[in-house]
Amino acid sequence: MAMESSPFIVSARKYRPQNFDIVVGQAHITTTLKNAITNQHLAHAYLFCGPRGVGKTTCARILAKAINCENINSNAEPCNACQPCRSFQSGATFNIFELDAASNNSVEDIRHLIEQVRYAPQGGKYKVFIVDEVHMLSANAFNAFLKTLEEPPAYAVFILATTEKQKILPTILSRCQIYDFKRISNDDIEEYLHGITIKENILAEKEALTIIAQKSDGGMRDALSLFDKIASFTNNNLTYKNTIEHLDILDIDYFFQLLTAMQSQNIAQVLNLFTDIYKKGFDGDTFLEASAAFFRDLLVSKNKEAINLLDVLPTFKQQYFQLAEQLEMSFILSALHIINEAEIQFKFTRNKKLLVEMALIKITFLPQAIAFVETDPQVSTKKKITNKQSVYLRPIPYKSAFPKVVIHAEKSVVLTQDSMDSNYVMTPQQSEIKIQPTQTEKVIPIGSKITSLADVLKNAIQQTQALGNIRPLEQYELEQLVAEYILALEKKDQRYISTIFADTIFAVTDDTIRAIVSRTFNKDILVQNEIAFMDFLKQKTKRMQLKFIVEINEDVTAIKKPAYYTSQELFEQLEQTYPLIKKMKQNLMLEILL
């Protein structure tokens, strides 16, 4: 009777490390854990964070086995021969518990785990609780876990593993020693796969293993899964060709041929090559992504200091270097820009194949476009900015006269607080704002209508505020902004909140905004919307120092609520506050359109 063959075990399980020294790419983690075991400085809770398939659960199991090993060696490695080690490997240990939080994330599951903590270990020093994908626990489960995690028995050790540390509650993070696992380098993955091919008598080209390592994105488990799949597909004979075919990867030879055709501006060959790629089942977005990576690698190849960023097959590196020497930097950067624009437009266009073809045509004729820009004087001068004019500003102290303003008209007019007629040449040291027109600005004749006076004043105030000396917010300004905010709430169909704001008395003193309401409910609504309201005010006024206080006054109806200003009333208020505005209006014979 023929013996039955043993069942197939996937490489990710068969070659899972059983000792710290075998763990790939995480020496900073394994060294720290071994030192902690040797010096008996074990923490009661660990949090292992990092991408998938980089060894978090593997290190947790090795740590759990090592601290319970009866014959641990001098290097803090488990012996894998004693009773606790053998029972762990056979899955019969009672001292190590594993919980998958992705499917067991309720309060009852955590309470059951906490119940196990109460009992001392049997036949070992420690009871180890490994919780995988801990970020999947519900908020109530986290809260039920807090007290036990902070003060467990001396024999209890918790090891939490997650791929998304940002989802863990800060109260959990503060109770754990955090270890950040990093992605495994392609060289380390390739070397590990090569060792497996020797053990399994599998033929594999170096380029094939490199492609698998690149495709795994730093995860050893993904690399081993791809390796098993391609080994089965190729009958244990991995080559570069069948590997890229099975992984649906564009052959880099296509891009070398495309670039050669582009250099000779053979547009027919360029389009035929893309059509061949398209018929092989590669979508336009996949082609654009691969094209961007190809030109990026060419860009890296032009700089010797960035060679370590070139992650391509060794057999193709020399071709990259030779091509990079032939191509101009402007050509590569322009090609990347064209590809990027095509990627952005790809999902919005209907004829996607035509979009990619147009991008290829643009890249093909890039040298002529670049030469045209460099040689045509009209094109080059259009990009130059001539006669740059500086604007000199000086901060305006609170309650001081409005800054001097110069408006270039048919006759240059200088507006000061004292004199309105003298011509005056301003320097950066003098206390005025200098507004000079460029060659493209329009000259304003004396006596004409200025419809943008408010814009001129607003711009002057904003520029002086940007220098840090900001005058306090005025009451009438606050009331106008509140009215604007109420309208914005109504447009968002938040009429209930807008009603609360409309019934509130707002007052400002030294950049502290007081909101006076008649009952606690209204106060709660304002507090809930404080962040949005203050962000609105700070953005409108450019005052980051504004503060917000809500007060309750049951007799709020007795407080006189000031009416909102009309445009005419607002201008009259400005004339009273800044006499210069009124004087400017009279001397220049301006008509203010409100």
Side-chain angles (χ1 to χ4, degrees):
M1 182 176 179
M3 293 180 61
E4 294 184 1
S5 60
S6 58
F8 173 74
I9 302 176
V10 296
S11 298
R13 290 181 55 196
K14 185 175 182 179
Y15 293 100
R16 169 169 268 177
Q18 299 299 319
N19 294 318
F20 286 121
D21 288 341
I22 309 176
V23 177
V24 180
Q26 309 297 342
H28 64 296
I29 302 288
T30 57
T31 301
T32 305
L33 293 176
K34 288 194 292 184
N35 289 339
I37 296 171
T38 302
N39 299 324
Q40 296 184 353
H41 287 169
L42 287 175
H44 65 273
Y46 295 90
L47 179 62
F48 291 171
C49 314
R52 68 180 189 276
V54 295
K56 298 186 298 297
T57 306
T58 296
C59 284
R61 291 178 177 177
I62 297 174
L63 176 61
K65 183 170 57 173
I67 61 179
N68 279 312
C69 179
E70 296 177 349
N71 301 315
I72 191 167
N73 61 29
S74 59
N75 197 27
E77 295 283 9
C79 66
N80 294 322
C82 65
Q83 178 60 31
C85 288
R86 285 189 284 109
S87 61
F88 172 77
Q89 291 174 350
S90 62
T93 181
F94 291 100
N95 292 336
I96 300 175
F97 296 85
E98 289 195 40
L99 177 69
D100 179 17
S103 55
N104 303 280
N105 53 13
S106 65
V107 177
E108 289 74 16
D109 295 316
I110 292 299
R111 285 176 179 168
H112 176 70
L113 184 146
I114 295 172
E115 187 70 20
Q116 299 296 324
V117 178
R118 296 173 52 191
Y119 304 104
Q122 302 296 319
K125 299 177 184 178
Y126 297 95
K127 242 184 175 180
V128 185
F129 300 87
I130 301 174
V131 184
D132 205 1
E133 302 298 337
V134 70
H135 65 274
M136 298 292 288
L137 288 178
S138 63
N140 291 333
F142 270 128
N143 292 330
F145 197 25
L146 283 177
K147 188 63 178 177
T148 303
L149 190 63
E150 183 176 17
E151 297 179 357
Y155 54 78
V157 176
F158 294 94
I159 306 176
L160 315 180
T162 179
T163 55
E164 301 184 49
K165 183 172 67 173
Q166 72 277 6
K167 293 185 179 180
I168 307 295
L169 292 179
T171 49
I172 297 290
L173 295 175
S174 66
R175 289 165 167 81
C176 300
Q177 278 192 9
I178 302 175
Y179 290 81
D180 290 306
F181 286 68
K182 61 184 181 181
R183 297 184 187 277
I184 305 173
S185 67
N186 292 342
D187 291 339
D188 288 340
I189 294 176
E190 184 181 339
E191 182 180 353
Y192 194 75
L193 293 178
H194 179 67
I196 295 177
T197 60
I198 296 175
K199 296 175 183 177
E200 297 291 336
N201 295 321
I202 296 175
L203 298 176
E205 294 180 357
K206 179 178 175 58
E207 290 78 8
L209 298 181
T210 302
I211 290 293
I212 294 174
Q214 292 175 350
K215 193 71 174 178
S216 64
D217 193 26
M220 183 62 76
R221 184 171 61 236
D222 290 353
L224 291 171
S225 298
L226 291 174
F227 176 79
D228 284 346
K229 184 170 65 171
I230 299 172
S232 299
F233 172 72
T234 61
N235 197 21
N236 292 341
N237 185 14
L238 282 71
T239 65
Y240 170 74
K241 290 293 183 183
N242 58 34
T243 299
I244 63 172
E245 178 184 352
H246 189 72
L247 294 180
D248 200 26
I249 297 175
L250 262 172
D251 190 352
I252 198 66
D253 281 333
Y254 275 116
F255 294 103
F256 287 123
Q257 295 177 38
L258 272 172
L259 194 55
T260 302
M262 288 175 176
Q263 287 178 303
S264 60
Q265 295 193 345
N266 189 341
I267 194 65
Q269 186 180 356
V270 170
L271 297 180
N272 283 331
L273 282 169
F274 173 65
T275 302
D276 291 342
I277 294 171
Y278 196 78
K279 288 180 178 179
K280 287 182 178 292
F282 293 99
D283 294 331
D285 56 344
T286 303
F287 174 79
L288 289 173
E289 181 182 355
S291 300
F294 175 72
F295 279 100
R296 176 261 182 196
D297 290 336
L298 285 175
L299 184 64
V300 169
S301 301
K302 288 190 73 68
N303 190 342
K304 293 182 179 180
E305 296 179 357
I307 292 300
N308 60 322
L309 301 176
L310 186 61
D311 189 14
V312 298
L313 297 177
T315 53
F316 292 121
K317 279 191 176 182
Q318 193 59 35
Q319 289 180 265
Y320 273 102
F321 296 148
Q322 292 175 356
L323 272 177
E325 290 180 359
Q326 300 173 12
L327 299 175
E328 296 292 335
M329 183 70 76
S330 57
F331 174 82
I332 299 176
L333 292 174
S334 299
L336 280 169
H337 176 72
I338 292 171
I339 294 171
N340 181 59
E341 290 294 321
E343 286 185 296
I344 294 173
Q345 299 171 11
F346 189 83
K347 62 180 179 180
F348 302 108
T349 186
R350 291 186 177 181
N351 195 339
K352 301 183 184 302
K353 186 172 183 289
L354 178 61
L355 176 69
V356 180
E357 290 176 338
M358 289 300 298
L360 292 174
I361 293 173
K362 290 179 182 177
I363 297 173
T364 301
F365 292 105
L366 259 179
Q368 283 134 307
I370 295 172
F372 173 73
V373 171
E374 291 177 347
T375 56
D376 192 333
Q378 293 183 351
V379 175
S380 59
T381 53
K382 285 179 182 177
K383 295 185 178 181
K384 294 180 181 178
I385 301 174
T386 58
N387 299 327
K388 296 182 181 179
Q389 300 292 333
S390 300
V391 177
Y392 302 111
L393 302 176
R394 181 177 179 271
I396 309 172
Y398 178 52
K399 292 185 179 178
S400 67
F402 197 79
K404 304 171 185 179
V405 181
V406 175
I407 300 178
H408 286 266
E410 291 178 354
K411 176 183 179 182
S412 296
V413 179
V414 180
L415 306 176
T416 67
Q417 190 67 28
D418 303 321
S419 172
M420 299 293 294
D421 299 322
S422 61
N423 291 331
Y424 191 74
V425 179
M426 290 168 289
T427 64
Q429 291 77 24
Q430 292 170 327
S431 59
E432 66 270 344
I433 294 177
K434 182 178 182 180
I435 303 176
Q436 291 184 339
T438 61
Q439 293 179 352
T440 58
E441 287 181 330
K442 187 182 294 184
V443 175
I444 304 174
I446 294 179
S448 63
K449 297 179 181 180
I450 300 178
T451 59
S452 60
L453 176 61
D455 293 337
V456 173
L457 297 176
K458 181 179 178 182
N459 183 56
I461 293 172
Q462 286 180 350
Q463 292 186 41
T464 54
Q465 289 174 351
L467 294 177
N469 191 0
I470 304 175
R471 63 177 180 80
L473 184 66
E474 300 285 355
Q475 178 66 33
Y476 72 90
E477 294 176 308
L478 173 62
E479 293 165 3
Q480 291 291 328
L481 291 171
V482 170
E484 185 178 343
Y485 187 71
I486 291 173
L487 291 175
L489 290 174
E490 292 177 352
K491 289 181 180 179
K492 296 178 181 178
D493 291 331
Q494 296 180 350
R495 298 184 182 277
Y496 184 73
I497 300 176
S498 67
T499 303
I500 300 295
F501 272 84
D503 291 339
T504 303
I505 302 295
F506 290 93
V508 59
T509 305
D510 294 332
D511 287 331
T512 299
I513 297 172
R514 295 168 50 241
I516 306 173
V517 295
S518 59
R519 51 185 181 146
T520 305
F521 179 77
N522 289 23
K523 177 181 178 181
D524 295 339
I525 295 296
L526 291 179
V527 170
Q528 292 173 8
N529 292 270
E530 176 183 350
I531 295 177
F533 179 53
M534 293 305 294
D535 286 345
F536 173 82
L537 291 182
K538 290 176 181 179
Q539 180 180 2
K540 289 289 185 179
T541 64
K542 309 301 182 187
R543 293 173 171 86
M544 297 297 107
Q545 74 276 19
L546 290 178
K547 299 178 182 178
F548 186 65
I549 299 175
V550 183
E551 301 175 1
I552 298 178
N553 189 334
E554 296 181 356
D555 196 22
V556 69
T557 54
I559 301 175
K560 183 178 179 182
K561 186 173 182 179
Y564 294 114
Y565 292 100
T566 64
S567 297
Q568 182 65 35
E569 292 170 341
L570 177 60
F571 184 75
E572 292 173 357
Q573 180 79 13
L574 286 173
E575 281 187 323
Q576 295 176 4
T577 306
Y578 305 111
L580 174 62
I581 296 178
K582 184 176 181 180
K583 205 169 186 179
M584 179 173 64
K585 175 184 173 184
Q586 294 172 351
N587 285 284
L588 294 181
M589 297 178 289
L590 302 176
E591 179 182 352
I592 308 301
L593 301 180
L594 301 172

